[in-house]
């Protein structure tokens, strides 16, 4: 009998409370809900960092995102990952990444894969939606804008008029949802994965699929919108995406369109569910399903104004961003098991490897929880989440070398340390799931200290026990890229 | 170079390959290596780690636990 195979599906921006198997009322995930009935489901799976570039080092390499230094991005050359471990063990390995620029060979994510497809060639350069911020204003417009921006009132008036003007112009164009989408939809990615599976024969395999359908701009297939009972024209979707992307606009005005934007986001999730169903059915037809471990999770969630923010910028570590679905389906798990203990995705890689009988790397910072998952006995170990506050573009060093944001997330209590203003806030998620009111400094003193001690130990370990070899390799890779780019720019 | 300098020995083949790859950007091996070492020894990131560790220590002391 072959060694078990591993399928890891990661979904960009998928927050835990928008999947049916974790209680969402809208039927976004009918297939995964049925799969959850025979899987281990973690209702408090917590990412180790957010967004993508701070989350994936933990998912793929079981390493905290800032452990090699906050000036390092991605997986270091030679760093062990799920893929390198299984490739060395003789597995066929492939990754199908739906056009996320941070999950590419530039950042080391291709290591260990026989076949790595990032779909970046299929991604359009610029969003085609219309808005004053991403349109191409004429010289006249630029002059008017410059004059108008002399006062906030005239500046706002200009932005409003220009936005409306753009909307009127694009309303005449009849562009399909498929043309507006910036990432390959799940069916395209799954098609390629199925073609690869057809070629590998009976070998055990590791297949990583990263799907972007719930990522903004939100342009789900019309079929998905119709299936959820929220049909929408591409013109309307285009308007909503443009409005949602506007800068310097009040939350009150954005809130007016929130439900429609969420309908678009949810339809993206539904499409993921449909395509995952297709993948699983194909594996069943090939008689590979019963010899495979299947895991589905996300790199981070998405915000819809819960705290005034949109998308998934690393300016906070609220629950909509850090709590993600995690579902593990394994042949030996005959019945459903649901745990609400915190589970850090730092432990995912060693747990998955252990579950299929492969050895996790000694360099992993996480450890296997497989025996505990099997016994449905997860301990109450808090999960640590970290990111660089406000690092929206990790390609820029000045964006990376800024203060850390850190959360220590227990089952019900969550400590958030903001090093920019040297504050720590404790939240009781049972009484205040929306994290609107930090507890007073006198509440839960012992628990506060315990979580602070965990934070302190984490920060100390991060730089005092840093893997110098991996850090230098990653830095040198960055330098090579920078120098090559400079050389190519200076060539005639 | 007016600053104190140190001589090091490197394999000729390695230097030749570095010159081949990066010669159009750097005048010589010294310039390339100086650039690389300056970059990898920048300690602004570590300084932030240290200040964050101190902040947490201070907080724990305030609460009487250190």
């Amino acid at each position: 009998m072959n060694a078990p195979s591993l399928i890891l599906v990661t979904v960009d921006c998928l927050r835990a409370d928008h999947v049916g198997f974790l209680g969402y009322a809208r039927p976004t995930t009918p297939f995964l809900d049925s799969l959850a009935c025979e899987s281990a489901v973690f209702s408090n799976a917590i990412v180790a960092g957010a967004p993508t570039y701070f989350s994936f080092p933990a998912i793929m390499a079981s390493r905290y995102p800032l452990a090699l230094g906050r000036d390092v991005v991605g997986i270091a050359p030679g760093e062990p990952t799920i893929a390198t471990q299984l490739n060395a063990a003789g597995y066929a390995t492939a990754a199908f990444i739906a056009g996320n620029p941070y999950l590419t060979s530039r950042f080391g994510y291709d290591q260990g894969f026989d076949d790595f497809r990032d779909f970046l060639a299929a991604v359009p350069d610029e969003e085609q939606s219309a808005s004053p911020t991403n349109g191409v204003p004429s010289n006249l417009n630029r002059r008017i804008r410059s004059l108008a921006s002399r006062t906030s009132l005239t500046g706002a008036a200009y932005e409003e008029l220009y936005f409306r003007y753009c909307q009127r112009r694009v309303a005449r164009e009849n562009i399909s949802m498929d043309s507006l989408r910036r990432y390959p939809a799940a069916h395209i990615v799954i098609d390629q994965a199925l073609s690869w599976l057809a070629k590998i024969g009976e070998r055990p395999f590791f297949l990583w699929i990263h799907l972007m359908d719930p990522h903004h701009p939100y342009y789900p297939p019309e079929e998905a919108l119709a299936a959820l009972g929220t049909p929408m024209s591409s013109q309307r979707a285009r308007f909503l995406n443009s409005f949602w992307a506007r800068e310097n606009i009040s939350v009150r005005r954005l809130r007016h369109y929130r439900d429609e934007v969420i309908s678009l986001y949810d339809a993206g999730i539904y499409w993921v569910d449909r395509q995952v169903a297709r993948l699983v059915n194909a594996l069943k037809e090939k008689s590979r399903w019963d010899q495979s471990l299947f895991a589905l999770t996300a790199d981070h969630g998405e915000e819809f104004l819960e705290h005034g923010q949109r998308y998934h910028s690393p300016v906070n570590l609220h629950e909509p961003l850090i709590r993600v679905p995690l579902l593990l389906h394994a042949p030996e798990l005959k019945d459903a098991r649901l745990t609400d203990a915190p589970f850090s995705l730092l432990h995912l890689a060693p747990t998955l490897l252990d579950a299929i009988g492969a050895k996790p790397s000694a360099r992993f910072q996480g450890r296997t929880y497989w025996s505990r998952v099997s016994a449905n006995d997860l301990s109450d170990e808090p999960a640590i989440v970290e990111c660089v506050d406000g690092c929206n573009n990790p390609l820029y060093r000045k964006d990376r070398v800024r203060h850390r944001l850190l959360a220590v997330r227990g089952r019900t209590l969550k400590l958030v340390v903001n090093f920019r203003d040297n504050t720590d806030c404790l939240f009781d998620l049972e009484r205040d799931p929306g994290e609107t009111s930090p507890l007073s400094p006198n509440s839960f003193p012992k628990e506060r200290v315990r979580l602070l001690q965990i934070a302190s130990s984490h920060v100390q370990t991060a730089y005092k026990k840093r893997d110098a070899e991996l850090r230098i390799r990653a830095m040198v890779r960055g330098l090579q890229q920078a120098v090559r780019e400079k050389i190519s720019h200076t060539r005639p | 170079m007016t600053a104190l300098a140190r001589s090091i020995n490197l394999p000729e083949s390695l230097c030749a390959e570095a010159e081949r790859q990066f010669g159009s950007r750097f005048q010589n091996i010294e310039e390339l290596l100086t650039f690389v070492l300056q970059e990898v020894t920048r300690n602004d990131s570590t300084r932030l780690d240290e200040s964050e560790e101190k902040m947490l220590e201070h907080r724990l002391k305030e609460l009487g636990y250190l």
Side-chain angles (χ1 to χ4, degrees):
Chain A
M1 189 178 152
N2 264 340
S5 294
L6 173 61
I7 303 127
L8 172 62
V9 176
T10 50
V11 186
D12 220 291
C13 304
L14 178 56
R15 46 190 276 176
D17 58 356
H18 277 243
V19 295
F21 58 93
L22 291 176
Y24 194 41
R26 186 177 271 170
T28 48
T29 52
F31 174 76
L32 291 170
D33 298 348
S34 65
L35 196 60
C37 295
E38 48 192 59
S39 303
V41 172
F42 301 73
S43 63
N44 276 319
I46 306 295
V47 297
T52 301
Y53 37 90
F54 291 129
S55 181
F56 265 99
I59 295 174
M60 292 306 289
S62 185
R63 195 236 312 141
Y64 283 113
L66 309 190
L68 295 182
R70 70 195 73 195
D71 45 352
V72 162
V73 193
I75 305 292
E79 184 168 11
T81 66
I82 302 174
T84 62
Q85 297 293 105
L86 290 179
N87 199 232
Y91 276 58
T93 54
F96 297 88
I97 311 298
N100 188 317
Y102 297 116
L103 301 179
T104 57
S105 55
R106 179 186 179 125
F107 298 107
Y109 286 97
D110 60 333
Q111 292 177 76
F113 287 105
D114 301 326
D115 202 338
F116 185 86
R117 298 186 210 170
D118 61 21
F119 291 85
L120 282 180
V123 174
D125 283 342
E126 285 188 26
E127 188 180 352
Q128 296 175 354
S129 64
S131 84
T133 51
N134 61 14
V136 184
S138 66
N139 284 337
L140 177 63
N141 272 341
R142 279 197 201 95
R143 287 191 63 190
I144 298 171
R145 186 183 206 172
S146 166
L147 289 169
S149 61
R150 287 182 180 175
T151 72
S152 58
L153 199 64
T154 52
Y158 169 82
E159 295 294 339
E160 189 64 36
L161 287 170
Y162 186 62
F163 177 78
R164 289 181 186 208
Y165 161 74
C166 290
Q167 291 306 310
R168 283 188 64 152
R169 274 190 61 177
V170 298
R172 294 183 213 132
E173 299 169 12
N174 193 13
I175 298 176
S176 72
M177 213 76 111
D178 292 343
S179 309
L180 290 164
R181 193 172 304 125
R182 286 195 69 192
Y183 306 98
H187 61 277
I188 295 169
V189 181
I190 297 291
D191 279 350
Q192 292 216 12
L194 292 177
S195 299
W196 177 79
L197 281 168
K199 290 182 202 155
I200 59 166
E202 298 300 309
R203 285 174 70 192
F205 64 88
F206 169 44
L207 172 63
W208 173 29
I209 294 172
H210 184 73
L211 301 173
M212 295 285 283
D213 300 63
H215 195 286
H216 72 88
Y218 312 107
Y219 290 115
E222 280 153 2
E223 194 183 333
L225 283 160
L228 288 181
T230 52
M232 196 183 293
S233 69
S234 60
Q235 286 94 338
R236 182 66 180 167
R238 198 174 186 185
F239 166 79
L240 290 168
N241 274 294
S242 301
F243 196 92
W244 199 248
R246 288 182 72 179
E247 292 169 11
N248 305 320
I249 190 161
S250 70
V251 170
R252 186 185 57 80
R253 290 190 66 193
L254 286 167
R255 206 173 285 285
H256 186 67
Y257 299 103
R258 181 176 179 265
D259 289 350
E260 281 183 285
V261 171
I262 289 176
S263 294
L264 290 168
Y265 169 78
D266 284 346
I269 299 171
Y270 176 83
W271 198 245
V272 165
D273 183 81
R274 278 272 295 270
Q275 301 311 315
V276 170
R278 207 157 64 85
L279 171 70
V280 171
N281 289 332
L283 288 164
K284 284 179 179 171
E285 279 170 22
K286 292 174 195 294
S287 304
R288 302 299 296 261
W289 178 246
D290 289 337
Q291 299 164 47
S292 299
L293 173 69
F294 172 88
L296 182 136
T297 190
D299 55 350
H300 54 80
E302 186 83 333
E303 288 188 285
F304 293 101
L305 306 178
E306 289 83 357
H307 297 86
Q309 266 103 36
R310 296 157 278 174
Y311 310 126
H312 45 265
S313 188
V315 293
N316 66 64
L317 293 172
H318 293 134
E319 292 293 287
L321 277 188
I322 69 165
R323 189 172 151 255
V324 292
L326 174 60
L327 178 154
L328 300 184
H329 182 276
E332 58 264 49
L333 299 178
K334 301 288 182 207
D335 50 353
R337 52 202 72 199
L338 175 70
T339 177
D340 66 350
F343 181 84
S344 168
L345 292 194
L346 181 80
H347 304 302
L348 185 63
T351 301
L352 295 180
L353 289 171
D354 187 24
I356 58 170
K359 197 168 183 238
S361 166
R363 270 175 141 156
F364 285 172
Q365 290 186 313
R367 62 180 185 277
T368 175
Y369 276 76
W370 183 241
S371 58
R372 288 188 173 189
V373 171
S374 304
N376 205 10
D377 178 31
L378 238 58
S379 61
D380 237 348
E381 186 187 336
I384 294 170
V385 196
E386 64 180 5
C387 69
V388 174
D389 190 4
C391 175
N392 282 309
N393 190 342
L395 296 176
Y396 296 133
R397 194 172 200 281
K398 67 174 174 53
D399 252 36
R400 302 198 299 268
V401 184
R402 297 159 81 154
H403 292 290
R404 182 191 321 240
L405 257 179
L406 182 75
V408 187
R409 166 62 154 82
R411 191 190 293 254
T412 55
L413 290 177
K414 174 179 176 182
L415 181 80
V416 181
V417 186
N418 186 333
F419 291 95
R420 185 186 48 194
D421 49 17
N422 288 343
T423 56
D424 55 276
C425 294
L426 189 65
F427 294 94
D428 180 350
L429 297 175
E430 218 161 43
R431 291 184 182 172
D432 176 25
E435 300 163 274
T436 53
S437 313
L439 294 166
S440 77
N442 302 325
S443 308
F444 298 100
K446 280 187 183 168
E447 284 82 356
R448 184 187 290 269
V449 165
R450 188 173 79 91
L451 298 178
L452 271 170
Q453 284 170 332
I454 291 170
S456 178
S457 165
H458 171 76
V459 169
Q460 270 188 39
T461 308
Y463 80 98
K464 288 186 175 162
K465 295 186 179 171
R466 187 161 284 158
D467 189 323
E469 181 194 336
L470 290 181
R471 173 169 164 76
I472 287 180
R473 282 186 186 175
M475 293 182 88
V476 169
R477 177 186 61 198
L479 287 172
Q480 278 176 327
Q481 283 159 352
V483 170
R484 286 203 181 111
E485 277 162 19
K486 273 187 183 164
I487 289 172
S488 66
H489 286 153
T490 52
R491 277 187 188 141
Chain B
M1 193 181 284
T2 53
L4 276 177
R6 189 185 293 190
S7 297
I8 57 169
N9 290 312
L10 295 168
E12 169 54 33
S13 56
L14 185 61
C15 293
E17 182 58 25
E19 280 169 344
R20 191 186 68 76
Q21 285 194 33
F22 303 112
S24 61
R25 172 69 178 78
F26 297 95
Q27 298 286 324
N28 50 47
I29 293 294
E30 281 84 357
E31 196 180 304
L32 168 63
L33 278 183
T34 302
F35 171 75
V36 170
L37 291 176
Q38 276 171 346
E39 286 295 313
V40 299
T41 55
R42 276 164 80 161
N43 62 356
D44 45 359
S45 169
T46 308
R47 272 206 302 268
L48 280 170
D49 289 331
E50 286 166 351
S51 73
E52 288 166 358
E53 183 198 359
K54 279 186 186 140
M55 177 262 177
L56 287 167
E57 272 179 13
H58 177 72
R59 189 76 180 98
L60 284 163
K61 269 182 195 160
E62 268 181 354
L63 296 167
Y65 282 84
L66 273 183

